[in-house]
Every structure is written in C-alpha cells, then in structure tokens.
Amino acid sequence: MMMQTDIAGNLAAVWAEIDKAAKEVGRQRDLVDLVAVSKTKPEAEIRPALTAGHRLFGENRVHEAAEKWPRLKAEFPDTRLHLIGPLQTNKVGLAVPLFDVIETLDRPKLARYLARAQDDLGRSLDCYIQVNTGAEPQKAGVLPEEADGFVAACRVEYGLSVVGLMCIPPQDEEPSLHFALLARIAERNGLSRLSMGMSGDYPVAVQFGATSVRVGTAIFGARPPISPKS
Ligand SMILES: *Cc1c(COP(=O)(O)O)cnc(C)c1O
C-alpha cells in the first residue's frame, strides 16, 4: 500500500521552517506568504490542504487550473490562486477570471492582452514581473537590465497593478545571489513584493527578503516527471 502524504503535517513543517528562517534574520513570519504549488496534483490531494485551512495556491498551467479550481473555489470561496507558469496570450481570457494573481508577466504583448482582458471582464489582478536573473535562454522572464523599463511600461502604458517581482534561479547556481539581485531591482522600482524560493531553497529566500515563497514538493510530495506541454 502506498503511504499517504501527510499534507497538513507538511504544511505545518514548511511554516515552521519559514518561521525559523525569518527569526534568524529578524524578520516576522507573517510578512511571508506561502503559495502551495498544487500543479499536477488532483483535487483529492489538494483538498486536505484546504481542509487544514490553507487558502493560497499556485498552478502553472491555465487549462489544468481551469479543470480543478472552479469547483474548489466555489467550495472554499476565500481561496486565492496564483499563476506561476508561462501565460500565452491566447489563454489570457481564460486566466483572468480564474486567477487572482499573475506572477509571470514578462513581455509587452502579454501586458497589452492582460490590460484589455481585465477591462473587458471588469477585474483587476495583481501582477508580478518575472525576471530571468540568470539570463538563461530557455527561461521566461525579462532580463535584469530590461526590468526597470518593463516595470515602467506595465504601470504607465498598460495601467497594470504591478506589485512585485518573481524569479526562478538557475538550478546549478547559488540561489542567494539571484534573490539578492531580485531584491535590488524591486527596491529601486519601489516594488514591495518578492516571489522567490521553492522547496529546495525557500528558507534562504525568506532570509533574502521573500514576501512569498512557492512550495510544491515539500507540501504535496514528488510530482510525476514533466510531461510534454499541453
Ligand atoms: C513547480 C514550481 C514551483 C514549486 O517547486 P517545488 O520545487 O516543487 O517546490 C515553484 N515555482 C514555480 C514557478 C514552479 O513551476
């Protein structure tokens, strides 16, 4: 028989780690949000987190989220859902009614589509701009040197509610350098929110100023290997 993942226990353990990391640098734990990343996990595995009182979740694919979340959100109406994966412009119309926060704003065309869809639907989402701090060719996000200009464009030209920056550091590099860089870019742009840190490095991210960590595996257990893009 397979062992059941103790999702409530894992949530408590992750919170305890956040608490400990925050204390070590004199930050308060309640300044940090925990986005529970439920991508690839079926409703039955998300429900224990909701039952345990958790209300903040992240998904990386619009279609998958559209299949799982309307029902769960109806049942737990104070749930907030973050999009943490790439957003194609042809899915913006589906994403805007479903998500509460878009963490992966990374190009002018997407900013334009988001602004228009929000107008049409009478809904305003908070957005994070994704920064490709490692300048990795395969990764989404604006380059660090383009970030200031893009933040300004999103605010002024598109009137979007930009609240912060998000990054995914390169796998084989010291993440703290990337967290520090993201914090610097946010500060000089007057942005107060930093979405950084995953299962492998969220305590470090908290110590470098994360206001939001995105944790999947440490809460829900391992995911199946990545399947081809849907
Ligand atoms: C999957 C994912 C996470 C969570 O990763 P874990 O290592 O499972 O905690 C965080 N952020 C993004 C953007 C992701 O795609």
Side-chain angles (χ1 to χ4, degrees), residues 35-39 58-60 83-86 103-104 130 166-168 171 195 197-202 213-223:
V35 176
V37 177
S38 50
K39 65 188 188 195
E59 289 280 349
N60 72 332
L83 178 65
I84 61 166
E103 295 205 14
T104 49
Q130 183 174 358
M166 178 271 220
C167 78
I168 309 169
Q171 290 248 310
S195 171
M198 308 177 18
S199 291
D201 55 17
Y202 68 91
V213 294
R214 309 177 307 268
V215 179
T217 310
I219 296 170
F220 295 105
R223 288 179 296 271

Side-chain angles (χ1 to χ4, degrees), residues 69-212:
W69 280 98
R71 212 170 17 247
L72 290 169
K73 268 190 150 186
E75 212 175 314
F76 300 91
D78 51 343
T79 299
R80 287 174 62 78
L81 197 56
H82 287 215
L83 178 65
I84 61 166
L87 179 54
Q88 294 163 262
T89 49
N90 64 358
K91 292 187 186 148
V92 165
L94 188 57
V96 168
L98 179 66
F99 288 93
D100 301 284
V101 175
I102 306 290
E103 295 205 14
T104 49
L105 177 54
D106 66 350
R107 56 201 193 277
K109 187 180 175 190
L110 177 58
R112 194 169 75 241
Y113 274 68
L114 269 175
R116 197 192 303 152
Q118 293 188 39
D119 267 358
D120 289 350
L121 295 158
R123 195 171 151 77
S124 172
L125 309 192
D126 285 345
C127 298
Y128 288 76
I129 288 169
Q130 183 174 358
V131 182
N132 186 355
T133 55
E136 295 173 279
Q138 82 285 9
K139 214 165 252 177
V142 295
L143 293 172
E145 62 268 27
E146 296 168 344
D148 297 2
F150 187 57
V151 170
C154 286
R155 284 170 163 160
V156 177
E157 276 176 57
Y158 304 109
L160 295 172
S161 167
V162 180
V163 297
L165 303 178
M166 178 271 220
C167 78
I168 309 169
Q171 290 248 310
D172 51 357
E173 286 182 31
E174 173 56 43
S176 58
L177 301 175
H178 295 271
F179 298 153
L181 172 60
L182 198 71
R184 233 172 18 251
I185 300 171
E187 182 167 25
R188 70 170 181 245
N189 284 285
L191 293 167
S192 60
R193 311 277 312 164
L194 289 171
S195 171
M196 54 192 201
M198 308 177 18
S199 291
D201 55 17
Y202 68 91
V204 182
V206 167
Q207 300 198 319
F208 277 80
T211 59
S212 194

Side-chain angles (χ1 to χ4, degrees), residues 46-68:
I46 299 173
R47 204 170 280 277
L50 287 158
T51 310
H54 199 78
R55 291 293 182 272
L56 183 59
F57 293 85
E59 289 280 349
N60 72 332
R61 290 185 183 178
V62 176
H63 278 302
E64 181 188 336
E67 275 167 25
K68 296 191 301 198

